[in-house]
Amino acid sequence: MSKIRKEAEVYKGLPDKKLKKVIRQYKFLSMSNTEIFNFVFFLVIFAVPFLCVFGITLNTLFFMMLIHFVFYWEFLFKYKKFKLVSDEEKREVDEIVEILEGFLKENQNKKPLK
């Protein structure tokens, strides 16, 4: 049994409500691989402390955006391929989501009609 299948099997016996919650969490992990999520996440993580320390002025906003663009976006993201969730992990998460959605459909089909 593959590593991905084993991880999905852990959640097989959960009730539908909890299984849906687990699926949402895995989908969020998958979404955190996108460029826009990484851009906004690191902008917020960088901007809040920066603006707390240096205050909010036009110069500090410009300087903060310049540092964020040059250091994070160009160097870490484009050159070093740094992401919160790597492409390989995203593929694994997507496979787990498919398996879990299959478990959810099985659970819903097994329920007796009221």
Side-chain angles (χ1 to χ4, degrees):
M1 194 180 296
S2 72
K3 177 180 91 170
I4 295 168
R5 189 78 170 153
K6 284 181 185 176
E7 187 170 345
E9 290 288 332
V10 171
Y11 304 108
K12 187 173 186 174
L14 290 178
D16 290 353
K17 194 173 185 177
K18 288 186 179 184
L19 190 56
K20 287 178 185 178
K21 185 177 179 182
V22 170
I23 290 171
R24 277 196 309 270
Q25 290 171 341
Y26 274 107
K27 284 184 177 181
F28 179 77
L29 273 177
S30 180
M31 184 191 71
S32 63
N33 177 267
T34 61
E35 286 186 12
I36 191 70
F37 184 88
N38 280 282
F39 183 82
V40 171
F41 178 79
F42 281 103
L43 179 62
V44 169
I45 295 299
F46 175 70
V48 171
F50 185 89
L51 293 176
C52 287
V53 171
F54 295 106
I56 301 173
T57 66
L58 191 59
N59 288 339
T60 57
L61 288 174
F62 174 75
F63 188 64
M64 178 198 63
M65 291 302 287
L66 181 67
I67 290 173
H68 178 266
F69 178 75
V70 170
F71 177 71
Y72 173 71
W73 197 246
E74 290 297 321
F75 179 70
L76 286 180
F77 191 78
K78 298 287 183 179
Y79 181 68
K80 293 288 187 178
K81 304 288 187 209
F82 180 78
K83 295 181 183 179
L84 293 174
V85 176
S86 70
D87 294 333
E88 178 62 31
E89 290 170 336
K90 182 185 182 325
R91 281 190 289 278
E92 290 176 3
V93 166
D94 290 340
E95 288 179 39
I96 291 172
V97 167
E98 283 182 32
I99 295 169
L100 291 177
E101 286 175 341
F103 291 160
L104 185 62
K105 285 180 185 175
E106 285 176 18
N107 288 349
Q108 290 172 345
N109 290 339
K110 287 181 183 177
K111 286 186 177 179
L113 297 174
K114 291 182 181 180

